Amino acid sequence: MIGTGYVGLVSGACFADFGHSVIGVDKDAAKLAALTRGEIPIHEPGLDELVANNVRAGRLKFTADLGSAVADAEVVFIAVGTPSRRGDGYADLTYVYEAARAIAKAIRNFTVIVTKSTVPVGTGDEVERIIREANRQADFAVVSNPEFLREGAAIADFKRPDRIVVGIEDIRAREVMAALYRPLYLNRDAVMFTDRRTAELIKYAANAFLATKITFINEIADLAEKVGADVQEIARGIGLDNRIGSKFLHAGPGFGGSCFPKDTVALLKTAQDNASPLRIIEAVVAANEQRKRAMARKVAARTGDLRGKTIGVLGLTFKPNTDDMREAPAIPLITALQDMGARIRAYDPEGMTQAKSMLSNVTFCQNEYECAQGASAVVIVTEWEQFRALDFVRLKKGMVQPVLVDLRNVYRADEVTRHGFIYEGVGRGRKS
Ligand SMILES: NC(=O)c1ccc[n+]([C@@H]2O[C@H](COP(=O)([O-])OP(=O)(O)OC[C@H]3O[C@@H](n4cnc5c(N)ncnc54)[C@H](O)[C@@H]3O)[C@@H](O)[C@H]2O)c1
């Protein structure tokens, strides 16, 4: 498993748990040192135990030496990062190609090389070309097996996926991939075999569709606010229709995270290069971009002039149960509040270490109540479980002005206003 980040570490530990022998390879010395000490460098529920159990059982090892890990492997996964390329938004494939070149030099027998990283359509062809160029004798097949796990629920998603997409061009890879995933589908045929380019595009289409759903309900939320309707009930009312489905219909501050922002933009680049515009996705990207700063204006509208005022921000990570701060909506929101003259206090149960390197002039606090001290408004940005039952009497005590801006619609207005708060959610225009 090349790359032991959110995807590589979870996938590697789960494959080991199925009984396979897994070697995790990473070039990040600090990450490897932590893993070797038995420490998990990321926050993902259940992962520490899963890794520890499988290391103890001898099925999971870690190394910096890609060559030795790959030499006798039947399957090599590439699970390295594919971030947005600085300046133009294309997927940066530097790490994927670097891994491919290193793998090429080390393989000895027939090897199935699987791209698990999210990569633009056609990358499998390029990986195949790179490997052939680097090692003319190599006997291998390049497979696309995109990953659909969600951070925060990654182990359950990996072990009980809705589907496993496998794109192959060489029939020999089919049997190997089927055997690898067999422990997962005792009862049903969860593996969908297709061709490589289709598999690559399935991943982008899936993420773009989910991002569209979120953006759709966010825009409906804005309209609901204007016309005096409630987006929560609209989401329920449409979500109960099976053709629509209730998931990903939660209005909020806009999508963020390590995948949707970069993948939607990368998909647009593929579309442009192929002269096949994706107008809906273009609109999704633009609407989501504008939304984050719009949330700061929402805070200001309830708080009044922000100059010199303190705002408490609860939740920094792009979603609960992760420490991942990549493209978190909290970042542009905080910057916009600072631009308006506000001082920021912030608290997050897991994200503050990462956040400290990404934000400046923020006072990081020990808990929710310390965060509210001296604040003219408290803003819930990430719906961590522990923010779902706030002690409003205690929260209000330290505040200069009792305003709660709930960007995740965690509360009903009456639960909060009865404690003397001014409450503002998202898309809840109904006067009740
Ligand atoms: N994070 C998610 O929820 C998620 C879900 C589905 C798909 N994906 C995709 O999976 C891929 C990986 O994402 P991630 O979040 O795990 O990234 P990550 O940044 O957490 O991890 C990538 C790891 O690869 C290592 N690496 C890079 N080049 C290497 C090399 N040549 N040899 C060894 N190690 C190397 C890095 O040091 C890092 O530890 C991306 O393409 C992403 O889009 C991510």
Side-chain angles (χ1 to χ4, degrees):
M1 184 67 66
I2 317 300
T4 60
Y6 289 86
V7 166
L9 189 56
V10 170
S11 315
C14 289
F15 278 133
D17 213 43
F18 298 154
H20 300 307
S21 265
V22 179
I23 308 179
V25 182
D26 211 291
K27 61 176 192 180
D28 180 333
K31 203 173 263 187
L32 266 186
L35 286 167
T36 319
R37 283 195 305 271
E39 290 164 21
I40 304 300
I42 56 172
H43 176 79
E44 180 61 44
L47 189 58
D48 39 7
E49 206 184 324
L50 191 73
V51 169
N53 287 346
N54 285 285
V55 167
R56 215 177 301 121
R59 290 187 296 261
L60 180 60
K61 297 191 175 77
F62 299 101
T63 181
D65 182 2
L66 186 145
S68 70
V70 160
D72 297 312
E74 288 163 88
V75 187
V76 178
F77 278 92
I78 301 177
V80 300
T82 51
S84 227
R85 193 162 69 188
R86 217 174 261 265
D88 65 10
Y90 281 84
D92 184 347
L93 297 171
T94 317
Y95 304 112
V96 173
Y97 294 156
E98 192 185 302
R101 273 186 287 273
I103 294 164
K105 298 207 179 85
I107 51 176
R108 290 204 280 241
N109 309 309
F110 173 64
T111 312
V112 177
I113 298 160
V114 188
T115 313
K116 198 163 242 332
S117 301
T118 302
V119 292
V121 61
T123 303
D125 302 356
E126 185 59 13
V127 167
E128 191 172 311
R129 196 193 60 74
I130 288 172
I131 296 173
R132 194 157 307 292
E133 192 179 86
N135 180 353
R136 301 247 164 241
Q137 272 75 53
D139 185 15
F140 67 99
V142 174
V143 168
S144 165
N145 172 217
E147 183 50 57
F148 298 97
L149 63 77
R150 292 163 301 169
E151 286 175 25
I155 295 169
D157 282 355
F158 193 90
K159 289 192 165 181
R160 284 182 290 283
D162 292 333
R163 80 305 203 185
I164 298 156
V165 174
V166 179
I168 57 168
E169 298 298 320
D170 180 333
I171 195 68
R172 291 178 296 169
R174 187 182 173 119
E175 206 179 306
V176 177
M177 294 305 286
L180 189 68
Y181 279 111
R182 187 152 297 123
L184 251 94
Y185 60 99
L186 291 173
N187 304 322
R188 65 191 176 108
D189 200 2
V191 181
M192 172 188 163
F193 284 102
T194 182
D195 64 274
R196 203 163 58 200
R197 285 182 165 248
T198 303
E200 288 169 337
L201 199 49
I202 284 172
K203 174 65 190 173
Y204 280 97
N207 275 1
F209 191 85
L210 294 173
T212 302
K213 244 183 139 180
I214 295 173
T215 307
F216 174 83
I217 202 67
N218 282 342
E219 289 198 323
I220 294 289
D222 292 347
L223 180 61
E225 266 175 31
K226 298 253 166 68
V227 300
D230 187 328
V231 75
Q232 300 274 93
E233 291 184 23
I234 295 169
R236 186 156 174 266
I238 63 174
L240 285 169
D241 183 330
N242 284 334
R243 292 168 302 177
I244 297 174
S246 59
K247 305 257 173 76
F248 281 75
L249 285 181
H250 301 286
F255 61 79
S258 61
C259 292
F260 289 179
K262 76 171 175 68
D263 292 348
T264 45
V265 172
L267 180 59
L268 288 182
K269 295 294 168 187
T270 302
Q272 281 163 13
D273 284 353
N274 288 280
S276 184
L278 294 172
R279 300 282 183 235
I280 296 173
I281 314 304
E282 284 172 18
V284 165
V285 169
N288 194 62
E289 195 49 42
Q290 285 160 26
R291 186 164 192 83
K292 296 166 192 173
R293 273 183 92 86
M295 292 298 109
R297 293 196 293 276
K298 195 178 188 50
V299 175
R302 277 299 189 179
T303 316
D305 184 5
L306 291 181
R307 198 146 297 281
K309 288 189 181 149
T310 297
I311 305 294
V313 174
L314 293 184
L316 296 169
T317 52
F318 81 97
K319 65 165 159 182
N321 297 323
T322 181
D323 59 343
D324 201 341
M325 282 294 299
R326 286 178 283 185
E327 299 289 330
I331 302 169
L333 170 72
I334 287 176
T335 320
L337 292 170
Q338 288 173 327
D339 289 346
M340 291 177 189
R343 283 193 290 260
I344 305 296
R345 293 170 74 78
Y347 168 68
D348 187 280
E350 296 290 342
M352 292 198 291
T353 311
Q354 281 197 25
K356 278 175 189 165
S357 63
M358 301 169 105
L359 292 163
S360 44
N361 298 319
V362 169
T363 305
F364 291 96
C365 304
Q366 296 297 317
N367 59 46
E368 302 83 331
Y369 305 101
E370 196 190 309
C371 183
Q373 283 295 321
S376 296
V378 164
V379 188
I380 299 179
V381 184
T382 316
E383 68 280 30
W384 283 92
E385 205 67 45
Q386 70 186 71
F387 303 154
R388 288 182 180 275
L390 291 171
D391 177 345
F392 285 109
V393 176
R394 190 171 161 206
L395 199 73
K396 192 176 160 197
K397 239 178 222 155
M399 292 179 72
V400 169
Q401 188 180 297
V403 174
L404 183 75
V405 182
D406 178 5
L407 297 182
R408 298 290 182 172
N409 289 341
V410 169
Y411 291 100
R412 278 199 332 263
D414 61 336
E415 290 176 293
V416 184
T417 51
R418 70 190 164 89
H419 295 288
F421 272 86
I422 295 168
Y423 176 83
E424 176 78 26
V426 176
R428 295 154 106 188
R430 192 173 63 178
K431 307 281 170 290
S432 56

